Amino acid sequence: MEFTVPISSPFSLEHTLVSGQAFRWSRRGDWWYGVVGGGVLKVRQEGDVLKCVSSTGALGASWVSDYFRLDEDLEHVLASISRDDPITRAVERFYGLRLIRQDRWECLASFVLATNANIPRIEKMVEAVCAKYGEAFEFEGDVYHRFPSPQALGGSTVSDLRGCGLGYRAPFLKKVAASVARGDVDFSAVASLPYEESRRLLLRELFGEKVLLGVGPKVADCVLLYSCGKDEAFPIDVWIARAVARSYPRLMDSSLRARLKREGKVRMAAGDYVRLSASVRGYFGGYAGYAQQYLYMAIRSEE
DNA sequence: TAGCAGGAAAATC
DNA sequence: GATTTTCCTGCT
């Protein structure tokens, strides 16, 4: 199916798709191909229009607009977070970067795999899991695999998952999948709550069976930001911690600041994360998650 | 709370 | 080719 989607507010497909939010997009020639929404979406930006080709009627204009959140007023968001020089420079440089509204289960599973890995590695693990457990289909003569269901991964074996190169992440992914498959994680309830409560509920539901699942504050924030509409969630990975330490040392309490300075490395204890998160959200406000995404792009682009 | 292991691959030297 | 680092969490 071919269609176009008009863009009425700023949007950069390129910046959005390279910003490390989603792991199933790749560029081929002038087009971006994404395995999303149960099919393939092929998309290219031409000025203020998105040209799209999709493998299924379900992936139409309204789906695309919802996925890229095109109906939201990005200028208003960016104005609200542009509180000082570093963030303003990042916003100017990556203008049009938007947060994507992803599938919640896929987002959770993907970020469980993201610990101690870099983006190419994460993409490789996700693809391996999809190839092994996801339903295959064809588009333009190529074979693609949908993201596997929670049931498929929950019913897998840890050793088969390890075969996808997941290492120690394999048992975590299996347990998370099993929890979701049983219906233990009510994503709608999580999404309906204010941020602080949504994070508590997500973690409580995942920990409900008293088995530790590989979802800590950082992964929880990614799920809340990228799939549950919690725009104030501010995931703090090593890069963001570095960016904050450099440009916003005043937002870190003195003990964390001193430790980072002393040790040179960015290593955060649980309490540090929660405090820094609250501090940064207090500063950037309700769209802190956008600030995080722009700061991430800025610091990653340096090297 | 601090320190460490975990597995494999990318990045760096 | 060896070493370090990697969008971190769980355990002691």
Side-chain angles (χ1 to χ4, degrees), chain A residues 70-82:
Chain A
L70 294 179
D71 54 337
E72 294 174 27
D73 182 357
L74 188 66
E75 285 184 276
H76 165 73
V77 169
L78 299 182
S80 88
I81 59 172
S82 297

Side-chain angles (χ1 to χ4, degrees), chain A residues 10-269:
Chain A
F11 180 56
S12 165
L13 180 66
E14 170 81 15
H15 290 152
T16 298
L17 291 180
V18 301
S19 68
Q21 305 177 60
F23 302 108
R24 300 207 74 198
W25 285 93
S26 60
R27 197 212 318 263
R28 293 217 289 282
D30 294 334
W31 294 90
W32 282 97
Y33 287 75
V35 188
V36 289
V40 172
L41 176 67
K42 177 179 163 186
V43 57
R44 175 161 68 125
Q45 182 165 13
E46 288 183 2
D48 51 4
V49 165
L50 291 180
K51 308 212 78 157
C52 302
V53 182
S54 69
S55 64
T56 159
L59 295 177
S62 62
W63 191 94
V64 170
S65 182
D66 183 69
Y67 181 76
F68 290 116
R69 302 174 60 170
L70 294 179
D71 54 337
E72 294 174 27
D73 182 357
L74 188 66
E75 285 184 276
H76 165 73
V77 169
L78 299 182
S80 88
I81 59 172
S82 297
R83 309 206 163 192
D84 55 57
D85 278 354
I87 184 64
T88 300
R89 278 198 300 275
V91 164
E92 283 170 358
R93 180 147 176 224
F94 299 102
Y95 202 68
L97 165 61
R98 283 173 185 266
L99 292 173
I100 296 174
R101 182 177 289 117
Q102 300 186 49
D103 177 80
R104 289 162 182 164
W105 148 244
E106 177 172 340
C107 187
L108 172 62
S110 299
F111 279 96
V112 165
L113 300 183
T115 65
N116 260 341
N118 50 30
I119 289 172
R121 171 99 200 270
I122 300 164
E123 290 174 346
K124 213 168 250 186
M125 288 187 282
V126 170
E127 283 314 307
V129 167
C130 291
K132 192 173 178 73
Y133 298 98
E135 214 179 317
F137 65 99
E138 242 183 71
F139 175 66
E140 295 182 342
D142 292 315
V143 176
Y144 295 85
H145 295 268
R146 297 188 177 92
F147 197 87
S149 65
Q151 289 75 16
L153 295 189
S156 66
T157 67
V158 171
S159 63
D160 281 351
L161 285 170
R162 276 183 194 274
C164 298
L166 309 191
Y168 70 91
R169 304 166 189 83
F172 292 138
L173 181 60
K174 179 175 159 67
K175 284 174 187 164
V176 167
S179 287
V180 174
R182 279 196 306 273
D184 289 351
V185 184
D186 186 345
F187 285 112
S188 303
V190 168
S192 72
L193 291 168
Y195 168 69
E196 301 264 13
E197 295 161 52
S198 71
R199 180 165 67 179
R200 276 199 294 276
L201 179 61
L202 178 61
L203 292 173
R204 185 176 351 127
E205 294 203 333
L206 286 167
F207 283 67
E209 60 174 13
K210 299 231 184 349
V211 177
L212 302 173
L213 294 170
V215 179
K218 192 271 179 181
V219 171
D221 275 336
C222 288
V223 173
L224 294 172
L225 180 63
Y226 300 138
S227 76
C228 296
K230 302 302 161 201
D231 293 339
E232 62 269 68
F234 191 94
I236 305 170
D237 57 51
V238 293
W239 292 96
I240 286 295
R242 270 177 212 145
V244 173
R246 184 169 68 192
S247 301
Y248 302 96
R250 64 186 184 280
L251 296 178
M252 292 186 159
D253 59 56
S254 50
S255 84
L256 175 59
R257 207 161 55 223
R259 247 176 303 144
L260 293 184
K261 194 167 182 179
R262 188 170 62 241
E263 296 166 20
K265 291 190 68 171
V266 185
R267 196 175 40 66
M268 257 195 288

